Amino acid sequence: MPGSALAAIAIGELVGVGPKSRLLFADLGIENAADLLDDFPFRYDDLREPISVQALRSGTQNPGEVNMLGRVVSVQERRVRGLEIVDVRAQDETGTFAARWIGRRRFVYGRFREGMRIFVRGRVERTLAEPIVNVAQYRILGESEQYRGEMVPIYRASKDLPSRKIAAVVRKNLPRMLAGAGDDVIPEGLARERGFPPQLQAYRAAHAPSDPQEARVARERFAFAEFFVRAMGAQLRRAERERSHDAAALRSSPALLADFERSLPFALTNAQRRAIGEIWSDMARDVPMNRLLQGDVGSGKTLVAAAAVLLATRNGYQSALMAPTEILASQHRDKLVPLLLPLQITIEYVSGSQRLSERRAAIGRIGSGEARLAIGTHALLTESVEFKTLGLAIIDEQHRFGVEHRARLRAKGSAPHTLHMTATPIPRTLAQSLYADLDESKLDEMPPGRMPVQTFAVREARRERAFAFVRANVARGGQAYVVAPAIEEGESGAASAVAVYEELAGSVLSDLRVGLVHGRLAPREKEAVMARVRAGEIDVLVATTVIEVGVDIPNANVMVVLDANRYGLAQLHQLRGRVGRGAAESFCVLVYPDDRAESERLSILTQSNDGFAIAEADLALRGSGEFAGTAQSGKDDLRFGDIARDFALYVQARQAAEQILAVDPNLRDPGHAALRAALGTSPSSRALLTSS
Ligand code: ADP
Ligand code: MG
């Protein structure tokens, strides 16, 4: 990992970077020397080995791009409708081949003469007569020049900052960057054991390898280092938590669970009973609970949360439940009040859009301890909210909160038990790394009586039919959502909620009551629209993904998702969880541009309702970076590794971390100093150090 010295060298200070290219680098996210050193090529053009005509002829596979060396025997130049075509025939020791340049104004016209020695690289066509190379790169060699090809690094680039330019800057500044590269986080013994080259050598190999194998090993080394630091951070946090013994050990009993069940209008599912058991036994320890409750929408997480609140209350502790949006928070309130009031658990609600007097009163009752459960948004985090005895912090859709927010809620108690909840099923592999210090409970079973949402994918051309279907459904007394990716018309070309609303309300469905909700409305306005939907005063709600999580309108039973191709599978699954919450049969119509691959992708959703399976498929399709960036938004900041792709390597790194902590639990060994420093300073591990 680069030292902080490198991060202090702005990209503009490097040789070969002028004021203009400084900005172009910044556009690529490269602001300083550390960024540049860590910006590895994503592939290399291998110019090392020329292939002979004979070898090319005898090969069975299509070799793709090849390098060839030869002496020019003839040159033919033509102009065809504004195009220049240059055909050069050349000869090596084993036969002849053709090299062809086609282009508007390639500067190769008039360049070649009989007898010259040339090197060419490009895609090869193997014709019966002779192989033809469609030249991408070439070089004219001197008579006595020895051909020495290299591995040419190809960097992620932009139109105005081509890879070639980036490579040149890296080359010119590599010694300086390596000098500031900082200490290796992988302890020497471990690096040796794994056969890793020294860090500096690995950096050099990543940017200027002498063969593909060297580059591969280098990349693997840095991915390993990154995984290693991450796994180490998680283990340290877990160990620290296990050592702390400062949480309240709460007493539960089978009688309490029986009381709870008796107060419910239905029996708990097995999955709910198991999750409650896991949570209660965590809360019975004096080590603070740190558990993630995962369950598809509708799997009944609210009840499980209620059981945790019940246990805290019966032991004299207050609870807090924080949700990322006003809509979610108020829904939690509406669902929990009828569950908890019969159990004499009083609830207060705190949100930013509340009248000041109301909020003050709520905060007062939280501070006095009269309120046993405080439900709210970020507003719960304000300083004026104080608890008398906060023993349980529940964080809904935890990935939507920053690390500091979660920590701030917990800081309102002394070592409270923490329950994280999410309706976004997280693939097992990702959960193990992103949330390595969390224990997991899964609700993998739906309450009885819920019918799966019937899902169809239809091509854009049949969009009108989807709206006709909406109309028919409303005629039968249902309500519908129409989801669009963008709020307003923008350059992305995505369907916009505002435009769709105008289209539907103005003409297509003008006989129905159409509403609109999106993220740019004030919380109060949003809440007002949702209230009208809930009251049945709106038939069709056009929305962006603000309705994504947790919105619960049982009478809504049709969802149309426009531009479904713009969403990940996991997110689409989330969205369709908004319907199918009542007794009526429900439907989800995914509208997508005509595209075969897209149709295949969406078929995963039309065929399955299992959120965990869909999440795995999504991860496999998109890689964990993407997955984390969008659907799960835990913002995976891994640079070199990808948990999905490199899971085996991650497991090895985790084992290595375990072994080191077993002998040096506090990383006091001087050989672990760089590692300790990295755990304290890198953004990812800083996040990890406090994310639990
Ligand atoms: P989630 O928060 O996981 O999306 P909820 O807790 O809102 O799910 O529950 C969804 C619906 O299922 C609610 O209407 C709830 O009353 C109902 N429900 C929850 N648990 C059960 C159960 N064990 N049996 C029947 N219905 C249940
Ligand atoms: Mg819920």
Side-chain angles (χ1 to χ4, degrees), residues 266-269 272 295-303 335 447-448 450 552 581:
F266 37 65
L268 294 170
T269 64
Q272 284 170 322
D296 237 325
V297 280
S299 58
K301 292 183 295 297
T302 311
L303 265 186
K335 284 201 238 166
R450 280 189 59 128
D552 190 4
R581 302 175 76 89

Side-chain angles (χ1 to χ4, degrees), residues 202-260:
Y203 268 123
R204 201 185 297 278
H207 288 287
S210 47
D211 59 58
Q213 172 64 11
E214 205 184 76
R216 224 177 354 258
V217 171
R219 193 199 72 87
E220 183 178 305
R221 183 200 214 282
F222 289 102
F224 182 91
E226 195 168 51
F227 289 156
F228 177 67
V229 170
R230 169 172 287 207
M232 180 75 82
Q235 284 168 39
L236 279 172
R237 276 197 320 278
R238 183 181 282 277
E240 196 177 325
R241 184 158 55 84
E242 284 295 330
R243 270 198 303 266
S244 67
H245 302 293
D246 50 359
L250 307 183
R251 294 197 21 199
S252 65
S253 68
L256 186 60
L257 187 60
D259 277 352
F260 180 60

